[in-house]
Structure formats: C-alpha cells, structure tokens
Amino acid sequence: MITTLEQYGYQPFFAEQHKEQYDVGRIALEHTHLYRIYSEDGEWLGELSGKYRYEAVTREDYPAVGDWVWMTKLPGERKAIIHGVYSRKSKFSRKVAGQTTEEQIVAANIDRVFLVMALNRDFNVRRLERYLLTAYDSGAMPEIVLTKKDLCDDPDALLREVEAIAFGIPIYTVNSLEENGTDAIADTLRPGETIALMGSSGAGKSTLLNSLYGEQRQKTGGVREGDDRGKHTTTHRELVVLPSGAIIIDTPGMRELQLWEGSGAIDVAFQDIDTLAASCRFSNCGHRKEPGCAIQAALADGSLDRGRFSSYLKLQKELAYMERKADAAAARVEKDRWKKIHKDMKARGNR
C-alpha cells in the first residue's frame, strides 16, 4: 500500500531534519531489539545499526513509539537498518519502575494527550493531577476522557471535581460501550495528528480506541469483581492509524506514574495555587505561618481544597528529589560516555 509520510504525522518540523542519504520511517511498535516501522511504501522491520547501538548510552537515545528515524531499507526484504532518531517535537516521559533513575519515553512526537480515567471506584483526582503535570511537561495538549459513566451513580459530581483541577482543558464524559458514545471526541480528530492514550490499568483506553476505530481493534477486558477495576489487556505501546486519518498511540495501563520531569510545568498544572502565591505579602512566603499568606487564607475559607494543596506540596517535593537524582545520573552517564570515547580512541591508536 502506497501512503504519504504526512498520513503518519510527518510535519515541517521533521521535514527540516531530513537527510538525503536515508529513508524516513516512524516507529509504530517496539519489540525486543526490533521495531515495526511505517514508511510511505508500507511496513518494515527495523533494527539498530552497530554504530547506533554502540553510541547509545541511555534509554532516551533509543527509538520510542512515535519517533521518526533515519533508516536504510535492505533490498529484496522488508527489513531496514536504523541509523538515528529525529529530534523530538514532544515526549510523554516517566521514571522507569524500580530504583533505577532513568527516563522511559512512553510516546514521542504527540500533538494531544488523552488522559483516560474511569468513573468507578478507581476514580482518583489526585492521580489525575499527576498525569496532568506530566502531560503539560510533554509539550502536547492535554485533554481528559472520563469513561464508564454507566458505572457511576453521580457522574456530574465527579465531573465537577475534575473541572476544579483542569482549567481550560477539554473534558469528555463517555461510556465507550454505547453506540456513538464517543462522537464528541471523534468530531475533534484531524488527519495526521497524533494522540496518545494515557491512564491507569483498566481505565478503558482500549475500549475507547475500538470505539474511535469503529471495530474491535484492541483486546479489552471486563471489570474485576471486588475492586471495580478493569482487567489489564494492552501489553505494549502501539501506533494505530484510524479510518479518520488521526493517529492513536495506545499504551499499557500504568499501576503508577513516577515523575521524571515537570518542574517547569507545575505552575501550569497548579495555576490556581500559583496565582494565590503571587498575592502573598512576601515573595519568599513558605505558605505555612507567614503573615499575609494568601494560600493559608484560601485554605481557611475553603476556596482552596486542602487535598489539592497537599498534592501540590507532595509533587513539588518529588520533583526536587528527582532533579537531584537525575543530575547525579546524568553525571554518571557523561562519565561513561567519555570512557567509551577514550576506549575507542585507544583502540584506534593501537591499530
């Protein structure tokens, strides 16, 4: 099938990085050491060149789903060698699970992020604040999709909770199992734009994708008895082109979202608190017992929710901790990079 790169989201930002000696492709699916790539003449199975693999140091150096890559197509087969990754327009990142301080890019080069949360017992507005912070930091536009409204006794009440933390952000409330339940979302989709679906396990992302696609594209699971949580079904990140021409990156549900960056976005995600802080009597107000503290006054009269302010403080503390850890990790990476360079120079000198 012959397509155009624009159908896969190729924009002027990427066209400016084109190198004549290479073919162009977009990472659609990541396997172990292999990648499914969409190009203008169909699908290719790609692997990294030896030079690329040698020079890559951190996870960020490797291709992620949504990345555009320079590649060489091998004649006579549907395989390609990947030589490098285009500079990213945006990326949704988190810290890898466990004790390792390293970035995991969940989706790259996205225009919009749909933050999906179910309106059942798994609803958690504090978790949504965390997703919003990461989405703002990604460089893409966040939107919120509240699913499974049929499992909620009072969806309007939960909607008001979300509206109180999501200023000026589109919010959709849907039951994806209903016919035409996602028409309001489908009407906003545009050919060539890339949208990432993010949310916890069982939030209804795959059901939402199937509804937008118009058929059973992804496997879905029911709700578990006992905790009202959906069964986890998506096991990998995948780029899917909808019949409308919009591009969806479906992602596995996250049991937790550990922040990677976001210090520059926290004032946007918590703009109500940022605005209050600007009204404090002292510019260096710690928002505890200082006289003239606008935040303490708002907490006292109830105009600022204490749970939201506690969440703000917790995320600030977590970001500061991650920044210190990331700086130390970056120093180790730079040291390892120079070791590799010196080793290579020494090897060349002994030839």
Side-chain angles (χ1 to χ4, degrees):
M1 180 180 68
I2 302 299
T3 60
T4 65
L5 294 175
E6 285 74 17
Q7 287 176 271
Y8 294 123
Y10 200 62
Q11 302 170 1
F13 175 84
F14 307 112
E16 292 173 358
Q17 303 177 53
H18 177 63
K19 296 181 180 180
E20 292 293 338
Q21 68 269 36
Y22 295 127
D23 296 301
V24 182
R26 192 173 193 189
I27 302 296
L29 183 66
E30 180 182 353
H31 304 277
T32 303
H33 306 304
L34 294 173
Y35 302 86
R36 185 195 301 167
I37 305 171
Y38 288 164
S39 188
E40 55 191 346
D41 55 353
E43 295 184 15
W44 296 77
L45 186 64
E47 61 179 318
L48 305 183
S49 69
K51 182 175 184 291
Y52 185 175
R53 195 179 301 276
Y54 175 78
E55 292 180 346
V57 177
T58 66
R59 281 174 176 253
E60 186 184 13
D61 297 328
Y62 289 89
V65 173
D67 268 327
W68 289 94
V69 295
W70 297 293
M71 65 182 189
T72 301
K73 299 171 182 175
L74 301 181
E77 36 186 340
R78 304 299 295 180
K79 295 182 179 180
I81 303 300
I82 300 171
H83 301 280
V85 174
Y86 282 50
S87 295
R88 297 172 175 118
K89 176 184 176 182
S90 59
K91 59 178 181 177
F92 190 102
S93 296
R94 67 170 179 173
K95 177 189 169 296
V96 297
Q99 300 302 313
T100 304
T101 305
E102 197 170 13
E103 176 184 16
Q104 179 187 34
I105 298 175
V106 181
N109 299 316
I110 49 181
D111 301 300
R112 300 159 68 186
V113 181
F114 283 177
L115 304 177
V116 185
M117 177 169 285
L119 292 170
N120 55 15
R121 279 179 282 178
D122 192 44
F123 179 84
N124 187 320
V125 74
R126 303 283 82 91
R127 187 196 310 136
L128 186 56
E129 287 173 335
R130 178 177 292 263
Y131 273 96
L132 273 170
L133 175 58
T134 306
Y136 277 124
D137 192 58
S138 73
M141 295 298 296
E143 303 180 31
I144 296 172
V145 182
L146 302 174
T147 64
K148 305 183 182 181
K149 67 179 181 181
D150 55 311
L151 300 179
C152 179
D153 293 332
D154 190 356
D156 290 338
L158 298 188
L159 175 60
R160 288 192 293 271
E161 287 189 43
V162 174
E163 290 174 335
I165 68 163
F167 309 101
I169 295 176
I171 304 172
Y172 309 95
T173 306
V174 302
N175 173 12
S176 300
L177 295 178
E178 291 180 355
E179 185 177 357
N180 301 323
T182 55
D183 281 354
I185 299 175
D187 289 344
T188 71
L189 304 182
R190 299 292 178 265
E193 70 172 356
T194 302
I195 302 161
L197 301 183
M198 301 291 175
S200 59
S201 298
K205 298 186 299 299
S206 295
T207 303
L208 174 62
L209 173 56
N210 288 338
S211 181
L212 294 174
Y213 197 88
E215 62 181 66
Q216 192 78 6
R217 180 63 174 73
Q218 298 288 74
K219 182 180 178 182
T220 61
V223 176
R224 292 197 305 251
E225 293 184 8
D227 63 3
D228 209 20
R229 298 194 68 169
K231 298 175 184 177
H232 178 66
T233 50
T234 302
T235 58
H236 55 266
R237 292 177 288 278
E238 182 177 3
L239 186 150
V240 178
V241 181
L242 300 181
S244 66
I247 301 155
I248 297 286
I249 297 180
D250 192 17
T251 66
M254 301 179 190
R255 291 301 183 192
E256 62 176 344
L257 176 62
Q258 296 191 57
L259 302 180
W260 174 249
E261 292 180 330
S263 57
I266 194 166
D267 291 342
V268 180
F270 290 86
Q271 56 186 273
D272 53 334
I273 294 178
D274 185 56
T275 300
L276 283 171
S279 301
C280 291
R281 181 183 303 175
F282 303 108
S283 58
N284 62 344
C285 183
H287 314 307
R288 291 178 176 84
K289 296 182 179 180
E290 294 86 347
C293 176
I295 286 179
Q296 287 300 322
L299 290 171
D301 66 22
S303 58
L304 175 60
D305 180 71
R306 290 188 179 275
R308 179 161 173 79
F309 184 58
S310 295
S311 175
Y312 170 77
L313 295 177
K314 178 181 178 181
L315 292 173
Q316 264 196 334
K317 185 177 180 180
E318 185 175 337
L319 285 169
Y321 173 76
M322 277 307 306
E323 187 172 347
R324 293 193 298 272
K325 294 275 287 184
D327 287 346
R332 289 194 298 271
V333 167
E334 189 64 18
K335 184 178 180 180
D336 290 343
R337 193 186 301 273
W338 278 106
K339 280 184 178 179
K340 187 179 288 188
I341 292 173
H342 290 155
K343 181 180 178 181
D344 188 42
M345 293 174 61
K346 186 176 180 180
R348 290 179 182 179
N350 292 333
R351 289 176 185 170

